[in-house]
Amino acid sequence: MANTNGNGEIQVKKYTAKDFASDQDVRWCPGCGDYSILAQVQRILPDLDVPKEKHVFVSGIGCSSRFPYYMDAFGIHGIHGRAPAIASGVKSANPDLTVWVATGDGDALSIGGNHFIHALRRNIGLKIMMFNNRIYGLTKGQYSPTSELGKKSKSTPFGTIDYPFNPVQLALGAEGTFVARCLDRDPKHLQQTLLRAARHEGTSFIEIYQNCNVFNDGAFLTFTEKDTKPDNVLYLEHGKPLLFGKENEKGIRLNVFTPEIVNVKEGKWSINDILVYDETSFDLAVLLATFSDRVGFPTPIGVFFNVQRKSYEQMMTEQIESVTKKRGKGDLDKLLKSGNTWVVSAN
Amino acid sequence: MANTNGNGEIQVKKYTAKDFASDQDVRWCPGCGDYSILAQVQRILPDLDVPKEKHVFVSGIGCSSRFPYYMDAFGIHGIHGRAPAIASGVKSANPDLTVWVATGDGDALSIGGNHFIHALRRNIGLKIMMFNNRIYGLTKGQYSPTSELGKKSKSTPFGTIDYPFNPVQLALGAEGTFVARCLDRDPKHLQQTLLRAARHEGTSFIEIYQNCNVFNDGAFLTFTEKDTKPDNVLYLEHGKPLLFGKENEKGIRLNVFTPEIVNVKEGKWSINDILVYDETSFDLAVLLATFSDRVGFPTPIGVFFNVQRKSYEQMMTEQIESVTKKRGKGDLDKLLKSGNTWVVSAN
Amino acid sequence: MSKTIETLDDVVIRFAGDSGDGMQLTGTQFTNTTALVGNDLSTLPDYPAEIRAPAGTLFGVSSFQLHFSSWDILTPGDHPDVLVAMNPAALKVHLKDLKKGGLIVANIDSFDDKNLSLAGFTANPLKDESLENYQLIEVPITKLTLAALQGVGLTQKEMVRCKNFFALGLMYWLYSRPLEPTEEWIKGKFGNEPKVAEANDKALKSGYYYGENTEAFASQYQVKPAQLKPGLYRNVTGNEATALGVVAAAHKAGIPLFYASYPITPASEILHNLSGYKNYGVRTFQAEDEIAAAGVAVGAAYAGNLAVTGTSGPGAALKSETISLAIMLELPLVIVDVQRGGPSTGLPTKTEQSDLMFVTYGRHGEAPAVVIAAATPADCFSMAFEAARIAVKYMTPVYLLTDGYLGNGSEPWLVPNSKDLPEIPVHYRTDPENFNPYSRNENNSRPWALPGTPGLEHRIGGLEKANITGDVSYDPENHDFMVKLRAEKVAGIAKDIPLQEVYGEQSGDLLVLSWGGTFGAVRSTVDRIRKKGHKVSHAHLRYLNPFPRNLGDVLKNFKTIFVPEINLGQLAKLLKSEYLVPVVQFNKVRGLPLRSAELEQAIMDTLGGAK
Amino acid sequence: MSKTIETLDDVVIRFAGDSGDGMQLTGTQFTNTTALVGNDLSTLPDYPAEIRAPAGTLFGVSSFQLHFSSWDILTPGDHPDVLVAMNPAALKVHLKDLKKGGLIVANIDSFDDKNLSLAGFTANPLKDESLENYQLIEVPITKLTLAALQGVGLTQKEMVRCKNFFALGLMYWLYSRPLEPTEEWIKGKFGNEPKVAEANDKALKSGYYYGENTEAFASQYQVKPAQLKPGLYRNVTGNEATALGVVAAAHKAGIPLFYASYPITPASEILHNLSGYKNYGVRTFQAEDEIAAAGVAVGAAYAGNLAVTGTSGPGAALKSETISLAIMLELPLVIVDVQRGGPSTGLPTKTEQSDLMFVTYGRHGEAPAVVIAAATPADCFSMAFEAARIAVKYMTPVYLLTDGYLGNGSEPWLVPNSKDLPEIPVHYRTDPENFNPYSRNENNSRPWALPGTPGLEHRIGGLEKANITGDVSYDPENHDFMVKLRAEKVAGIAKDIPLQEVYGEQSGDLLVLSWGGTFGAVRSTVDRIRKKGHKVSHAHLRYLNPFPRNLGDVLKNFKTIFVPEINLGQLAKLLKSEYLVPVVQFNKVRGLPLRSAELEQAIMDTLGGAK
Ligand SMILES: Cc1ncc(C[n+]2csc(CCOP(=O)(O)OP(=O)(O)O)c2C)c(N)n1
Ligand SMILES: Cc1ncc(C[n+]2csc(CCOP(=O)(O)OP(=O)(O)O)c2C)c(N)n1
Ligand code: SF4
Ligand code: SF4
Ligand SMILES: [Mg+2]
Ligand SMILES: [Mg+2]
């Protein structure tokens, strides 16, 4: 898609990833998973054919929320938890912009939980990337709403006593129309998913498992290390059977309503018994969302759910257009002089 | 269960509903659905064997949130949206109390959405009754997060453009352990469900469809009127097949993963084909939750989900006990004098 | 039967009844008709926090007071001349305010045992001497309405609901008002329900004819049109005027209006009004809460809209952290606080002036914001416009304070022509050459650089900004510099606002200094005192931060400064710390406008002391 | 080789390096050892908002300053005598503060081209004349550490990480400190990792011996123990002291402590500390946000706990609406605001005093709250205790203001015996006879009536309360009465707090009036000026609302009042509006403690003018 720039000229400039790197020094800890996420975003933007000045990155507070500073685009480093609200203002004031939200597990799900679920419900055109490191990085190591039960952290020396959220499940519960999960250490898959998220109409939500090597190192190691990944990660692909394992020997079968893991290479079951993923099925999405909490089950990575639903900003625009059509473009004098008026004449 | 009162005496007093009515005039509009809910709560409390002084009713702001004033028990009429937080403080400071939350669809899901989902996640012992009238009553008729898309209200003269939440689905997404839906106009069922909610360990959530006869009259008429109710309401009962219709002639069958409505009296299908409800199945609960949004499907009423999970306050108590056991009961002087200390002697 | 028609200068009438009796509607109809007749007027609706409390109870009473006159009036009046009491509870609640000798029109049909006891009467006050000091007119309003509506085809309940139109008709007769405006309104409103339309119309006329045909009233009255400035008028409430003010400002600025809000009494009507202006390109966003509303507004401001977020006290408290962000971002933003009784939920449907310190100082850090306040319902238009002008010119959040009385109350408004409104120049930055997000123009304002503008890509945020570049800066000296710069920018706006005017002598013994919604009560009281020959001057502040630059001089010209407020002395505090002058305070925090009589007494007492 | 040992009165040492270099740990170890040796001390940690910015960058520099002495000191010092610079960036950032002629200990191994250029040096400062005015000691710290640790079995990276212990050991030698306390600490800390323990221990000793065995330093120093008041001491930071203060208060009140909070720099350590005190019956609740934390605390207070909620500026802003509720409910609540640089996110790791107006006035409606402030890190204990005492005695929210400097900084604390702490009497209401939730005792306090108490069932809420009964009341006169009653209750606390003391002459030309965390800087500056023979008095406020009842008289006794603050003059504003006295302001808002030299200059200038 070609775009016109501010002067009405057709924008044909082709960008490279570098064009999206700002002049600011990146200030994350060496080794932080945030670097990879930044790199993948910069890499996919050229593929979007959206002129640089139409990208806006909005964030809250947290390590992850420093993201906008590193992008050569427009950006607001907001306040803790409020990025979805600020971004909703940007997007509905100017639907022409591509609006991204960079947020953390604390920023999005703890203090920002309300704006998060309401953005999803409204299906407003925000691309929400939630860097889930299951910890508060910036404030140096308190547990977050995604930390596992019993986790010892700075604020819970004897272990947490609150159950974590499952962000995918919560997003589905809140009417999300594009819900995905990625890994900081699977750059290709992250890129593909980012691209799909960017092109989705309405809110897209990507939970990105992100390693905080200072306060929660190795939280996702089993999903990223070569030897453990195949048995612990289940890639979701629309229209493909749910297979995993080193040789794709394991599959998910639905026993009436209960999912079970079967081996497709031992004779009893074949690939035909395996559940074929359908990312437009809400019920399947929820079922798969619970996998990460089921003992013995692999953690799904990929797009859980993806359906088309008219976006908030689209309906806002249409409503303004339709009312304007019906009533005519508003005339200020008419408005001021509407209602019961009377004239006092000079006498 | 017998309780001891403040003086250590065994409390055996038997209450009646009247004992729970405060001396305050009830100030709801005549005909408001809130009256029935109040009556049912007052009716079931005597069955709980909890002394009156151990009940605490906490609310936010809204018509529904006037609830505590009308109960002869302890109560806080809090501020808008914050009832779950205030109630969490009461409950975790004194787990011995039975803590109720009375809230509205705006109070709980709009401004209070974050506290709502976090209370559910923590599984803290609150009995949350959400009076869902799909409107803002107290502020005179703006739409709420449960109002249907396109609804005309004071603040949306041309219709809303945001999709509503499905409260049951959201509660499930937020890790609720007891999630139910009731009708203001089915007092018996409401009573039964309230009793079960009261006895549940952890957070229980009941969405109560409540008629606001002033600003949203008849919102739930098809579920409450004699002639339309049978075809539009599906009562969920654990261990019972999902049947509905005037003569229980319709049932829910699961076609692999897709629910469909079949007739059990026309020969092709029998009651044996009908899904038997299991309230401990999360997947079933979510599936049923979506019914109210599926065209042609009946709206489920009853307990969607009910599982046992240790409550927040229980874990808090246990943690304090176990640390105290390990380290000994804290001695203030020891604490003050801990760390690296040194003595400066008078010389 | 013909009756004498007496001419009056002004009348204060109060309609009172159950929340379900339609008193607000009755009052509004009377107001509109009265406006059309050409009287000046001022209104005071008063309704309970409950929506529609059980019939007959004291807390369920709703009232609407209206002051109309043949001269320029400023307040809805302290004490009604006439009380229309639709039931015993209404009588009970409002009798104490009625002028001695005033008229009571009581619907005797509702004075049954049940209602009397709900209202806490042990005996029927219509039957004993309790109303001796008043003129009591007993009218069987319910019965007469029912009788009139037989055959229209409504249920009994529906017919009873029309009784307020009967009362309205009766009052129209009493004060010689035409029926046509209300007849027109009924037609428009109930177009789809012809039976209801017919019933209300009939009830209205029956009331009117009841006045004409019975001996109940000794005479009829008229109030001649007021000598208002010539021009086109309409009646507006403060909330309507606020909505129109920001629409007008956006229009004159040539940029879209974006209103983000969360409903709250008494500010919700601003949202209601603006949501109807879709064809004016107005975007309204009902957010999940006030924090979100403020955040959405900040985002819309960043994207180049005239962003406005309105609320009342509790909501303003929630927005505080976000306004602090807007101050660091230096984005234009108008925050309307329609003040109500506090603290906490307080008296949510009542008026108060107790958020002044809060909007001035209620943010963490050194976070200066502009604060201005409207004086009358119609003045909300001008001040909303002014708030927008300052916000976009200085790239700063501006608080506009109104209150429940202004928001709900109404007065005739001389409607301006759009071409006569001042322009609001807006220059979005477009030139990438030498662009620096925190460079400054002569007003210390930074450029408004919109996302979507090629070459202006930049990032802003809540961390301290380096001067000019806007980069994050932890440099101690830069912080000191920026903190002081932000303070200076706001203080500097003093040079761009009108000098403070003084009504009456420009120097003397006593200056009454007021702000906000008390204007009418204070000015009319000062007027009355002046008419009695006392030298008392009045200054009314509409700019609270910064103060008008001559305010210090104004204060120096008077021996005593008298500051009446519906709070515990918040303006008094600001004046004392700014000008180190002692002030005499007058503080009544009753959720009601100040009462003229009390105020007069207090001013006279002070005047005695001042001499 | 034996060297001379010079005796010094006091030393200011600053450790500086990358965020990953362990400077905070090094500083803390030096502090603890120094405390054990018996010196008085004061510390100033300073770390970036980034967790661990890329190595070598300027913004990634973390530092820890420590002032220790043989006399009673009050500040961490303006200008270090010694700067330990672990890399070029550390040198670059901190050199400007170093005393002329001061000592630089530089880790030359890190002065390579990459690091030099990251630090913005175009030439190696160790190699040119830029450090001419200082004593430069170049030590190959990394290489020496690596050499010492060969064979311990750690990776190269792990070995490099031990270099801060080398530097620590070297400083221990230089200032004649014992190694044992740190050796003990290493054992305890790395008990499970014997290799790491061994390596750190070896690095420490190597540093020490390097000092002893090389010619690098001309002499060794010692600082004799300070003559502190006799008793048991420990070193505490303000945040530790705050945590201990509320635990002690709960203990003396005989009620459980409940701390609800949401993490935020620089207040999080209060939560961290309290969460470790489970066996003291302390309940901690990490809420989803600050609003929830405040709400949870209100609930816990209702249930009878000593409820405390701690935060910093942005979080305090969010709590505002809930505190307004607590004021209406009249429940005891302590809100700790560890102030940091604002507005908005501002300078989150830096100190400031800019929330004073906010906590005093930052609530909608007339919502009076008590405000007190700690003066030094150890004083946080006393003031936290005091906040709790006032809260439960008067059934009111109390704000305790500390700040980033107090919270993170430390000083020796003479630990009190629990029995010497004042009792905090708590009387829960139990008698149902004549119980009225809004009846009052002699302090204007209402009863604390806990859910669970038979016969006391009652409802409270945010709507205005009727006097005595506590029922909802919309009565105008009652509202006026209650608004004034709440204000009086808080104002009345003045009779229950100490009179304001004045240091120096009780009257005269100049009074320096300060509050909060500037105590040390101001007192020591005043002291220095007084030693030079000038008559300057000092009063330091710990009670801000209400003010001590004699403050007006104190102010009258001086010709000039000089008010230094790390804000734009917030106390100055309060004083002016309360006492109508002019004040001279001194405002530096740099995110840092006030600098003594500047302050001295300003006071001297004022003194010149005052005469
Ligand atoms: C209102 C407010 N409360 C608290 C904070 C402190 N704070 C900053 S970031 C953060 C949590 C960060 O966690 P997360 O969102 O998971 O981001 P991460 O640093 O892990 O990327 C907190 C509590 C704040 N800045 N503002
Ligand atoms: C902070 C704050 N914002 C807004 C309000 C105004 N307000 C009171 S109740 C309410 C919504 C009520 O709707 P709901 O929760 O559905 O309760 P209902 O009245 O319908 O029972 C609103 C917006 C308030 N009191 N406080
Ligand atoms: S603290 Fe953790 S999340 Fe933050 S920058 Fe460092 S490694 Fe990354
Ligand atoms: S407004 Fe609606 S919800 Fe509120 S009391 Fe009246 S009928 Fe009930
Ligand atoms: Mg995180
Ligand atoms: Mg509702």
Side-chain angles (χ1 to χ4, degrees), chain C residues 39-349:
Chain C
N39 295 125
D40 196 6
L41 62 85
S42 173
T43 68
L44 176 66
D46 188 24
Y47 49 90
E50 284 74 27
I51 298 308
R52 198 170 293 169
T57 57
L58 292 174
F59 52 83
V61 173
S62 171
S63 74
F64 190 104
Q65 180 165 320
L66 169 75
H67 185 185
F68 59 103
S69 71
S70 54
W71 41 272
D72 200 4
I73 53 167
L74 298 163
T75 77
D78 288 0
H79 297 291
D81 300 295
V82 197
L83 171 65
V84 178
M86 299 298 280
N87 70 1
L91 181 67
K92 180 82 168 197
V93 170
H94 293 290
L95 184 63
K96 65 178 182 311
D97 291 339
L98 190 63
K99 224 173 247 171
K100 288 284 161 272
L103 189 67
I104 299 168
V105 178
N107 175 15
I108 50 166
D109 295 336
S110 66
F111 282 69
D112 57 16
D113 288 353
K114 187 176 160 217
N115 280 329
L116 285 166
S117 102
L118 274 170
F121 283 115
T122 45
N124 188 340
L126 308 182
K127 301 273 140 72
D128 58 22
E129 317 85 76
S130 22
L131 305 179
E132 253 177 15
N133 292 326
Y134 307 93
Q135 304 171 51
L136 173 65
I137 312 284
E138 303 182 37
V139 186
I141 296 181
T142 314
K143 281 206 198 96
L144 291 169
T145 306
L146 284 171
L149 303 189
Q150 288 315 314
V152 175
L154 293 185
T155 65
Q156 170 96 358
K157 209 173 144 194
E158 287 167 328
M159 288 191 288
V160 169
R161 228 186 268 147
C162 298
K163 66 181 180 298
N164 59 328
F165 279 90
F166 186 99
L168 179 63
L170 184 56
M171 289 300 104
Y172 278 171
W173 174 81
L174 189 62
Y175 293 105
S176 318
R177 325 260 98 183
L179 297 181
E180 291 74 18
T182 298
E183 286 170 353
E184 282 303 308
W185 180 87
I186 289 173
K187 262 188 225 145
K189 177 79 180 180
F190 302 107
N192 304 326
E193 300 163 281
K195 279 190 212 165
V196 178
E198 189 193 339
N200 283 324
D201 194 76
K202 274 204 168 163
L204 179 74
K205 288 189 175 123
S206 308
Y208 193 91
Y209 296 138
Y210 179 81
E212 191 155 290
N213 298 326
T214 65
E215 296 284 334
F217 296 93
S219 73
Q220 205 181 352
Y221 303 96
Q222 66 176 3
V223 176
K224 294 262 168 69
Q227 287 308 324
L228 299 173
K229 243 174 105 177
L232 182 92
Y233 281 80
R234 69 184 275 196
N235 192 49
V236 277
T237 65
N239 282 337
E240 284 166 359
T242 301
L244 293 172
V246 291
V247 173
H251 181 92
K252 298 300 285 194
I255 61 179
L257 178 67
F258 197 115
Y259 188 72
S261 187
Y262 184 70
I264 186 167
T265 305
S268 306
E269 288 76 23
I270 303 174
L271 172 63
H272 301 172
N273 280 297
L274 288 171
S275 61
Y277 303 157
K278 287 268 140 53
N279 54 326
Y280 292 81
V282 175
R283 287 167 199 265
T284 55
F285 192 116
Q286 180 174 318
E288 56 272 28
D289 60 22
E290 286 88 350
I291 302 177
V296 166
V298 165
Y302 182 64
N305 284 11
L306 174 58
V308 182
T309 181
T311 189
S312 185
L318 289 169
K319 289 177 199 289
S320 162
E321 193 206 1
T322 308
I323 308 305
S324 194
L325 172 67
I327 288 169
M328 187 65 103
L329 299 182
E330 300 191 46
L331 283 173
L333 186 62
V334 174
I335 312 106
V336 184
D337 179 357
V338 186
Q339 299 165 96
R340 65 186 214 183
S344 195
T345 313
L347 296 179
T349 61

Side-chain angles (χ1 to χ4, degrees), chain B residues 120-280:
Chain B
L120 288 164
R121 167 174 86 80
R122 291 195 185 99
N123 199 35
I124 188 162
L126 311 179
K127 319 296 147 208
I128 305 179
M129 305 178 284
M130 189 186 85
F131 301 20
N132 184 4
N133 53 13
R134 294 193 177 152
I135 200 80
Y136 287 180
L138 191 69
T139 49
K140 306 195 173 171
Q142 301 83 11
Y143 80 105
S144 91
T146 58
S147 296
E148 54 289 6
L149 186 67
K151 185 186 197 77
K152 290 189 178 160
S153 75
K154 284 250 182 77
S155 53
T156 53
F158 306 111
T160 64
I161 56 172
D162 30 353
Y163 303 93
F165 279 132
N166 176 330
V168 166
Q169 182 181 316
L170 181 65
L172 291 168
E175 305 283 330
T177 56
F178 182 98
V179 179
R181 182 185 291 141
C182 292
L183 297 166
D184 57 354
R185 298 202 184 159
D186 187 340
K188 273 263 172 60
H189 181 263
L190 178 51
Q191 287 173 32
Q192 288 159 7
T193 315
L194 283 166
L195 268 174
R196 294 193 59 195
R199 291 175 175 143
H200 177 72
E201 177 180 356
T203 315
S204 19
F205 170 61
I206 311 182
E207 176 189 18
I208 307 171
Y209 282 170
Q210 171 249 326
N211 192 45
C212 167
N213 55 311
V214 173
F215 296 110
N216 201 19
D217 198 22
F220 307 105
L221 221 57
T222 51
F223 308 138
T224 55
E225 294 308 279
K226 231 170 142 186
D227 49 333
T228 51
K229 179 171 174 169
D231 289 329
N232 288 293
V233 169
L234 172 69
Y235 278 93
L236 306 179
E237 283 183 86
H238 185 61
K240 301 264 174 74
L242 292 172
L243 292 169
F244 67 112
K246 287 204 182 58
E247 295 164 2
N248 267 352
E249 77 281 9
K250 290 184 265 190
I252 304 298
R253 179 182 166 266
L254 216 50
N255 182 352
V256 188
F257 206 72
T258 313
E260 56 183 33
I261 299 174
V262 297
N263 194 306
V264 292
K265 309 230 162 142
E266 285 175 344
K268 186 169 179 201
W269 306 102
S270 85
I271 194 151
N272 299 327
D273 297 307
I274 298 306
L275 186 59
V276 173
Y277 199 64
D278 175 0
E279 66 182 24
T280 67

